[in-house]
Amino acid sequence: MAFRFTPGTLSRLPQWFFFLVSLFVGWRFFLFCRYAAGVGPETARPAGVEGFLPISALLGARELAATGSWDPVHPAGLAVFLAALAMAFLFRKGFCGHVCPAGFVAARLGRIGQRLGLARSVGKRLDAALGLPKYLLLAFFLYTTCFAMDATAVSGFLRSSYNMTADARMLLFFTRPGTTAVVVLAGLVLLGVVFRGSFCRWLCPYGALLGLLAKAGPTALARDAAACTGCGRCRKACPVDLPIEAGPRPMTCSGCASCVTACPRSARAVEFSFLGRRAPWWLTAAGACAVFALAYGAANALGLWETKMPAAMLARLYAMALGG
């Protein structure tokens, strides 16, 4: 059977691209850490790894808002964070649906569960109750960042050796996990296989913040109830098991376009709308990629992507963080 680039296939291309880029960045960072620890050849630290440090980026955004100063320690992380906020507001959590590697893995786990016949759904009320932890975590982080810490405390944390090497500690979590970490990760994987997108739906505070922005944004899901046959293909295709009846701007929706491309009718019963006007299925994917490219290009051009810290100092700090 000849392979065809269907809308569903094309909508997943950005996910695969950013996931593979994330793997490449992770591999380069692993090589850099080996170099810093004195067991590998000299390798530059990839700035893109800072995209995996959302808490540091949130603090960087707080300092930027208060002082107008761009985070000098993890500048790329701040650029990615602000791009994610822009994607969420403009294109329905486009970061979650097209860029985030955790979202990509969650979607793949959900598909495995469906193929194995293990996938289950929960009721609307239970789903809402299970989603409370991510909002409580978000409230905690926002309170700590915006109220509990003053400008001096934020600046001190951003420039601390702990924050400077936070990505190394993140790497150690995955390369040298303890028993508790292994059990928790295994539990999350199993949960993701049985309940599609469970981590994104119930636990991710980053997604909760982006969902709130998407709620107020110009992009919505438009459902033509008269054209809908009730076939259920849209919900079956949705990586977070979201019923299309949830409304035009559900905060869980990642804008991945799976429901739109799965609708079998030629005059689609499910579509995107932008500022109240019908929009193509590729709107969120193209919009998210454009925002990311603009943020990356602007940060590079303005010297706000790579850290200004000397390479030798970085290597020493990472050597200490890695136990070298």
Side-chain angles (χ1 to χ4, degrees):
M1 182 181 295
F3 180 80
R4 294 187 303 131
F5 283 101
T6 64
T9 302
L10 291 172
S11 69
R12 290 188 289 272
L13 287 181
Q15 299 175 351
W16 277 101
F17 172 77
F18 283 107
F19 178 69
L20 293 175
V21 168
S22 297
L23 289 180
F24 176 74
V25 169
W27 174 248
R28 296 292 299 176
F29 182 65
F30 174 73
L31 294 179
F32 165 76
C33 287
R34 282 177 55 84
Y35 156 66
V39 294
E42 183 174 354
T43 305
R45 174 183 172 276
V49 74
E50 297 168 10
F52 295 94
L53 304 174
I55 304 303
S56 177
L58 179 61
L59 288 164
R62 157 73 194 281
E63 184 173 64
L64 176 66
T67 68
S69 175
W70 196 271
D71 183 2
V73 178
H74 296 307
L78 180 55
V80 172
F81 180 71
L82 295 179
L85 298 184
M87 289 180 214
F89 177 73
L90 293 172
F91 304 112
R92 292 231 45 84
K93 289 176 67 175
F95 180 82
C96 299
H98 301 288
V99 179
C100 179
F104 174 88
V105 172
R108 304 287 82 73
L109 289 175
R111 293 290 177 256
I112 290 172
Q114 287 178 306
R115 292 190 180 100
L116 295 178
L118 300 174
R120 297 292 183 272
S121 296
V122 298
K124 182 178 179 181
R125 290 185 179 179
L126 180 57
D127 185 57
L130 291 171
L132 284 177
K134 67 180 182 182
Y135 293 107
L136 294 176
L137 285 171
L138 174 63
F140 169 76
F141 290 131
L142 290 178
Y143 171 78
T144 302
T145 302
C146 299
F147 300 102
M149 297 177 69
D150 60 18
T152 302
V154 170
S155 178
F157 177 83
L158 288 174
R159 290 156 180 80
S160 67
S161 59
Y162 181 89
N163 181 56
M164 289 179 183
T165 57
D167 41 12
R169 292 176 173 81
M170 177 186 64
L171 178 66
L172 290 175
F173 176 83
F174 289 102
T175 58
R176 304 177 194 171
T179 302
T180 302
V182 171
V183 171
V184 170
L185 288 174
L188 289 175
V189 168
L190 180 60
L191 195 67
V193 170
V194 178
F195 301 103
R196 275 178 286 157
S198 52
F199 175 78
C200 305
R201 291 158 62 190
W202 301 334
L203 297 173
C204 181
Y206 200 175
L209 173 62
L210 300 183
L212 291 171
L213 287 172
K215 189 74 174 176
T219 302
L221 282 172
R223 173 176 177 258
D224 184 347
C228 181
T229 63
C231 67
R233 294 187 185 182
C234 52
R235 183 167 185 175
K236 185 178 179 181
C238 178
V240 292
D241 194 22
L242 187 67
I244 195 62
E245 297 85 1
R249 289 181 174 84
M251 289 188 289
T252 308
C253 171
S254 65
C256 68
S258 295
C259 59
V260 179
T261 59
C263 187
R265 299 181 65 88
S266 55
R268 295 195 180 279
V270 185
E271 293 182 301
F272 283 127
S273 67
F274 187 82
L275 293 176
R277 295 173 175 255
R278 178 178 296 184
W281 61 265
W282 45 261
L283 170 71
T284 56
C289 291
V291 169
F292 192 94
L294 180 63
Y296 174 72
N300 257 315
L302 297 172
L304 301 175
W305 184 258
E306 297 283 349
T307 181
K308 299 298 190 297
M309 295 178 62
M313 179 186 295
L314 271 179
R316 286 196 299 270
L317 286 170
Y318 278 88
M320 290 187 289
L322 296 164

